[in-house]
Amino acid sequence: MIGPEGMPAADAAPAGGETVPGLDRSLIEGLPAFAGMRPQELDRILAGAHAARFAKETAIFEQGAEATSFFFLLDGHIRVVRNTAEGQQVIARYINAGELFGIAAAIGRDTYPASAIAAVDCVALVWPTGLWADLASRYPGFGAHAYRTLGQRLQETQNRVMEMSTEQVEQRVAHALLRLVRQSGRKVEGGIEIDFPISRQDIAEMTGTTLHTVSRLLSGWENAGLVRGGRQKVTVTDAHGLLLIAEGRRKK
Amino acid sequence: MIGPEGMPAADAAPAGGETVPGLDRSLIEGLPAFAGMRPQELDRILAGAHAARFAKETAIFEQGAEATSFFFLLDGHIRVVRNTAEGQQVIARYINAGELFGIAAAIGRDTYPASAIAAVDCVALVWPTGLWADLASRYPGFGAHAYRTLGQRLQETQNRVMEMSTEQVEQRVAHALLRLVRQSGRKVEGGIEIDFPISRQDIAEMTGTTLHTVSRLLSGWENAGLVRGGRQKVTVTDAHGLLLIAEGRRKK
DNA sequence: CGCTGTGTTGAATGCCGTCAACGTCGGTGG
DNA sequence: CCACCGACGTTGACGGCATTCAACACAGCG
């Protein structure tokens, strides 16, 4: 985990945050997105960025807004949300520390296709969109990593379409939980806990169901000893058992 | 439409087809994917490719196979299909003439994430995967177009997730039909026809439902004068009426 | 100490998947 | 050319899963 230590607080920062002088290359060196770069290249990349804090439950950018920046999450967890014309919302994915996000520029868009909400207090690097082409071409490894990320997200999204097409709600929720603990899990005694606050409603919006159904399923699983619930908290205590449900091979 | 005329037939070609000498740059000049390139650049790009024919209902590549090539569809329509572990299949999208496909290389994959099946007889340009990095960096416009395409597909896929999360089957099928006629429609008297053979089962696999439900819906819409059906054929006769259904604003 | 957001649980409705049977078209081979 | 056969399509009946409606419990916070 990348801590915000030494990061000057920029409370109530405007979207895009405030410029923070003296970003240290140790923040990003060794991370996959910046692999294989020499120290002075890292400095050059950081020279175009500033760091910003985003308080829990604030929007980092909004769906439909002009894509003025792209981001790299240093610390925290972000919820990417899409709103339908009718006002319903769907959670597209969660972003973890170490991932690029808001890279509309990379795919030639000029507005953000979704909103990004800080699930907890977050710290991110922010670059102006105009720097994308420059960075991607000057540091091919960086661009390649970004496009690989994009490809992975496309594939994950298609997996989700497949799940929604072929599986029952119970299996989809189980799959979603397993994905969450794999991508954002934190070991605690007795299981793996999802590392950020997540409500039944959130899980419902990830799986295309209702909070009622999610609540019922979690209650049942808790009785069966597969998970432990809590307010905006889920701990998986028997990942293997949950996998059986996810794959529809449960006994009953 | 780009015709296969003058294209030497390469029946029973292996995946990847047979090399066809003398590809003419007129095949691709003026197309968005190759916009802004000088004639000799087009020739250079074509020098690395060969053209191949793929007979209707044959596989151009298979999910999980090593990604040895990437493709540009000159003529025809391609069905991109993903298979679940349990043997069910889901149609990820259709590819039309003028689109790149099989670009696993662009996102750093070494196997194809889905299968590509020729929905009709097709003609495609084929490049070895190893040429991707070269082409994308030497001709930035080409790379940018490919990544834009990728981004559009990601967004379409996410739209589909939203539809499956928030809409009823009836609306999803209506949306799917509208998308098909918009992307692959051919004007006929009395409406717009989907330009390739498509069965009720295919539509079901696009929308996460069953052929029975699709059949019932199409029958109903035919009685209401919105579409005309046929064996592996659908013609939309009242796109506006269908849009009302798609958006859930139908009278009854 | 009340208010709001979150979570739980019961009951009823209904969409749509499943099962079943039949009809129809088109290609193929005799 | 015609008969056959398999793929595709239609329609009815039934039932189950999950949403919807409703009521209540509980926690955190001002």
Side-chain angles (χ1 to χ4, degrees):
Chain A
M1 165 145 51
I2 307 157
E5 300 81 14
M7 185 72 51
D11 295 304
E18 293 179 1
T19 301
V20 174
L23 289 175
D24 193 303
R25 81 174 74 103
S26 68
L27 281 172
I28 60 170
E29 75 186 345
L31 297 175
F34 304 99
M37 295 188 189
R38 297 200 306 275
Q40 66 204 45
E41 291 178 329
L42 294 175
D43 289 342
R44 288 269 292 279
I45 288 177
L46 284 176
H50 63 271
R53 275 192 78 250
F54 298 95
K56 178 174 172 175
E57 293 302 321
T58 59
I60 298 171
F61 54 79
E62 296 270 7
Q63 176 174 348
E66 193 190 349
T68 55
S69 309
F70 64 93
F71 304 83
F72 179 84
L73 188 58
L74 288 170
D75 188 57
H77 293 277
I78 286 166
R79 192 168 65 235
V80 180
V81 175
R82 293 184 60 124
N83 292 286
T84 69
E86 284 77 26
Q88 307 197 67
Q89 60 178 35
V90 173
I91 296 181
R93 68 171 45 79
Y94 280 88
I95 305 286
N96 297 303
E99 291 186 60
L100 286 164
F101 67 101
I103 47 180
I107 56 175
R109 285 190 57 98
D110 53 2
T111 59
Y112 295 112
S115 302
I117 315 288
V120 296
D121 288 352
C122 289
V123 181
L125 294 176
V126 186
W127 289 266
T129 292
L131 279 185
W132 175 266
D134 196 45
L135 286 186
S137 61
R138 197 192 304 270
Y139 311 106
F142 178 73
H145 181 268
Y147 293 124
R148 196 153 44 238
T149 299
L150 209 58
Q152 284 163 358
R153 290 181 188 170
L154 174 55
Q155 212 181 323
E156 277 172 24
T157 308
Q158 282 178 339
N159 286 340
R160 206 165 143 192
V161 168
M162 291 211 328
E163 284 181 14
M164 301 190 75
S165 296
T166 64
E167 297 177 357
Q168 312 258 88
V169 167
E170 183 179 42
Q171 299 172 272
R172 300 206 304 268
V173 174
H175 267 133
L177 281 188
L178 288 170
R179 218 175 307 137
L180 284 169
V181 298
R182 181 161 37 80
Q183 295 179 349
S184 318
R186 184 166 51 82
K187 267 199 82 79
V188 295
E189 24 69 51
I192 307 173
E193 179 181 312
I194 295 169
D195 199 24
F196 47 82
I198 185 167
S199 69
R200 308 293 183 265
Q201 174 71 34
D202 291 331
I203 297 174
E205 288 177 6
M206 297 182 68
T207 51
T209 181
T210 62
L211 75 160
H212 308 280
T213 299
V214 172
S215 179
R216 273 183 249 273
L217 288 172
L218 289 184
S219 295
W221 293 342
E222 184 147 15
N223 290 336
L226 300 172
V227 306
R228 275 202 318 266
R231 191 185 177 79
Q232 305 207 77
K233 188 155 70 73
V234 180
T235 306
V236 173
T237 54
D238 179 0
H240 183 255
L242 205 52
L243 186 62
L244 289 182
I245 291 178
E247 302 191 341
R249 314 192 258 107
R250 198 189 41 168
K251 35 240 139 199
K252 156 67 189 27
Chain B
M1 162 142 61
I2 308 156
E5 302 80 13
M7 186 73 48
D11 294 304
E18 293 181 1
T19 301
V20 174
L23 289 175
D24 193 303
R25 81 173 74 102
S26 68
L27 281 172
I28 59 171
E29 73 186 346
L31 297 176
F34 306 98
M37 294 186 191
R38 297 199 306 276
Q40 68 206 42
E41 291 179 328
L42 294 175
D43 290 342
R44 286 271 290 280
I45 288 176
L46 285 176
H50 63 269
R53 275 191 77 249
F54 297 95
K56 179 174 171 174
E57 292 303 321
T58 58
I60 298 170
F61 54 78
E62 298 270 7
Q63 176 174 347
E66 193 190 349
T68 55
S69 308
F70 64 92
F71 304 82
F72 179 83
L73 188 58
L74 288 169
D75 189 57
H77 294 275
I78 286 166
R79 192 168 65 235
V80 179
V81 175
R82 291 182 61 123
N83 293 286
T84 69
E86 284 77 26
Q88 306 197 67
Q89 60 178 35
V90 173
I91 296 180
R93 67 173 44 80
Y94 280 88
I95 304 287
N96 297 303
E99 290 186 60
L100 285 164
F101 67 101
I103 47 180
I107 56 175
R109 285 190 56 99
D110 53 2
T111 58
Y112 296 111
S115 302
I117 314 288
V120 297
D121 289 350
C122 289
V123 182
L125 294 176
V126 186
W127 289 266
T129 292
L131 278 184
W132 174 265
D134 196 47
L135 286 186
S137 62
R138 197 192 304 272
Y139 310 106
F142 178 73
H145 180 269
Y147 294 123
R148 194 152 45 240
T149 299
L150 209 57
Q152 284 164 357
R153 290 181 189 171
L154 174 55
Q155 213 181 324
E156 279 174 23
T157 308
Q158 282 178 339
N159 285 340
R160 206 166 142 192
V161 169
M162 291 211 328
E163 286 181 13
M164 300 190 77
S165 296
T166 63
E167 298 178 355
Q168 311 259 89
V169 168
E170 182 179 43
Q171 298 172 271
R172 299 206 304 266
V173 173
H175 267 133
L177 281 187
L178 289 170
R179 217 173 308 136
L180 284 169
V181 299
R182 180 161 38 79
Q183 296 180 348
S184 318
R186 185 166 49 84
K187 267 200 78 83
V188 296
E189 21 71 49
I192 307 174
E193 178 181 312
I194 296 169
D195 200 25
F196 48 83
I198 185 167
S199 68
R200 306 293 183 264
Q201 174 71 36
D202 291 332
I203 296 173
E205 288 177 7
M206 297 181 68
T207 51
T209 181
T210 62
L211 75 159
H212 307 280
T213 299
V214 172
S215 179
R216 273 183 250 271
L217 287 172
L218 288 183
S219 295
W221 293 343
E222 184 147 15
N223 290 335
L226 300 173
V227 306
R228 276 202 316 267
R231 190 187 179 77
Q232 304 206 87
K233 190 155 68 75
V234 179
T235 306
V236 173
T237 55
D238 180 359
H240 182 255
L242 206 52
L243 186 63
L244 290 182
I245 291 177
E247 302 191 342
R249 311 192 261 108
R250 195 187 46 166
K251 32 240 141 200
K252 160 63 192 31

